[in-house]
Amino acid sequence: KLGGAILIPEFHLFRAHHNKAFQEILRDLSSEKELQSLRSRAYGCYEEFEKDLDALSYPVVIKPSAGDSARGVALARGRREAVRLTRRVSRTLSPAGVWKSVSRKAFTKGWRSDSLHRQKFIVQEFVPDLDHDWKVLVFGSRYFVRVRPTRKGDFRASGVTGKRTFPRDLPGGLLDFVERVFRSFGAPHASVDVLHDGSRFHLGEIQFVRFGTGPLIHSPHHFRRSADGWERVDGTCEWEQELARSIAEHIETGGSAGTSD
């Protein structure tokens, strides 16, 4: 980019790849209200989080900044559990680190030890009573939707394997919500996780660079906006063609989400 290249997508969206902490920065900086409907915050170390322990409304969801398929994601039902889970997910403990910290503190006056819990993590508002979420892949003007059931006896839907469900009829407002979120980032394609609490939609996570293409490959139809609203288009699609088409559409429209076929 510094040499004059045009990145697709922009660098800050590369930076957000599998980086939930940076995604929270993008949320905070955005003026799009749909991005901020869930209370969520990123922390750089446990000691930073410790200051907020008594101000939280429990339960809360604890997420490591890196990773996918809900690995490391857990639910803290109260203060004690939040302490245990955040200390575990942020741990940078090593024998060398402990020795360095103890020895310098013992022999250096005024020395303040480095934190031994410096892995970034997210603390997010919990949406109760969900039995599924929505995985929506957006490739330019085409939207591919899959319903993901939550895990048995668990609140998580990401990473679930099993029956793929591609609904022909969608709840009112779902695609409008995803469209507003998608357009706010100016990317050619995205993977969007959507939660619904019974009255409104919330953005769970979003990726722009590398994500699972199953909803596109396996879906027997997709959705696109027409003059009369959203329409369902039957037929399967090839993801390589959709990737190329969405990038061409992105370039043609100057970086805004396309609406033409």
Side-chain angles (χ1 to χ4, degrees):
K1 185 174 179 67
L2 292 174
I6 299 174
L7 298 186
I8 298 177
E10 286 287 352
F11 177 74
H12 62 281
L13 300 184
F14 278 98
R15 189 70 180 85
H17 180 60
H18 282 189
N19 187 337
K20 298 180 183 70
F22 199 81
Q23 288 182 28
E24 292 305 315
I25 293 174
L26 296 183
R27 272 192 211 254
D28 292 342
L29 293 176
S30 175
S31 59
E32 184 59 60
K33 62 182 181 180
E34 272 80 1
L35 298 181
Q36 298 161 353
S37 60
L38 282 182
R39 293 188 297 274
S40 188
R41 183 176 172 184
Y43 294 91
C45 64
Y46 169 75
E47 288 77 7
E48 182 184 9
F49 167 73
E50 198 173 26
K51 301 173 184 177
D52 289 343
L53 268 171
D54 295 322
L56 293 176
S57 296
Y58 295 97
V60 293
V61 178
I62 312 293
K63 300 180 179 182
S65 179
D68 57 7
S69 300
R71 283 189 291 268
V73 176
L75 184 66
R77 297 171 179 82
R79 187 184 191 280
R80 180 176 297 181
E81 201 168 17
V83 170
R84 177 176 61 82
L85 291 172
T86 53
R87 287 179 67 85
R88 183 177 69 187
V89 78
S90 63
R91 183 180 297 139
T92 49
L93 193 63
S94 69
V98 171
W99 170 249
K100 176 182 175 181
S101 177
V102 171
S103 61
R104 288 195 174 180
K105 188 172 184 178
F107 298 107
T108 306
K109 185 177 181 180
W111 173 261
R112 183 172 181 177
S113 301
D114 293 338
S115 170
L116 299 177
H117 298 85
R118 299 192 307 277
Q119 294 287 355
K120 299 187 294 292
F121 61 94
I122 310 301
V123 177
Q124 188 175 76
E125 177 184 358
F126 175 60
V127 180
D129 303 323
L130 296 182
D131 59 9
H132 69 277
D133 71 3
W134 306 85
K135 167 68 76 176
V136 184
L137 300 191
V138 186
F139 280 76
S141 57
R142 299 187 180 188
Y143 291 62
F144 302 82
V145 183
R146 177 187 175 189
V147 175
R148 302 187 304 182
T150 55
R151 302 179 184 190
K152 187 176 180 179
D154 201 344
F155 68 97
R156 296 171 294 179
S158 180
V160 172
T161 58
K163 183 179 179 181
R164 302 182 179 97
T165 304
F166 304 100
R168 294 177 61 82
D169 298 305
L170 302 177
L174 173 63
L175 293 180
D176 292 327
F177 171 84
V178 175
E179 183 183 55
R180 288 192 295 272
V181 169
F182 174 64
R183 287 187 173 183
S184 71
F185 288 105
H189 39 255
S191 171
V192 187
D193 296 349
V194 182
L195 313 177
H196 190 254
D197 65 7
S199 60
R200 63 186 301 191
F201 295 101
H202 305 280
L203 173 65
E205 295 177 16
I206 188 167
Q207 296 287 346
F208 307 95
V209 179
R210 178 181 175 273
F211 44 80
T213 54
L216 187 160
I217 295 170
H218 299 292
S219 179
H221 51 259
H222 66 273
F223 299 87
R224 65 184 180 188
R225 184 177 286 284
S226 68
D228 299 321
W230 293 98
E231 64 176 354
R232 185 183 64 247
V233 180
D234 292 326
T236 59
C237 294
E238 295 290 335
W239 87 265
E240 295 91 345
Q241 293 179 356
E242 294 306 311
L243 178 67
R245 184 193 56 76
S246 65
I247 292 175
E249 187 177 283
H250 178 79
I251 294 171
E252 182 181 359
T253 59
S256 60
T259 56
S260 60
D261 193 33

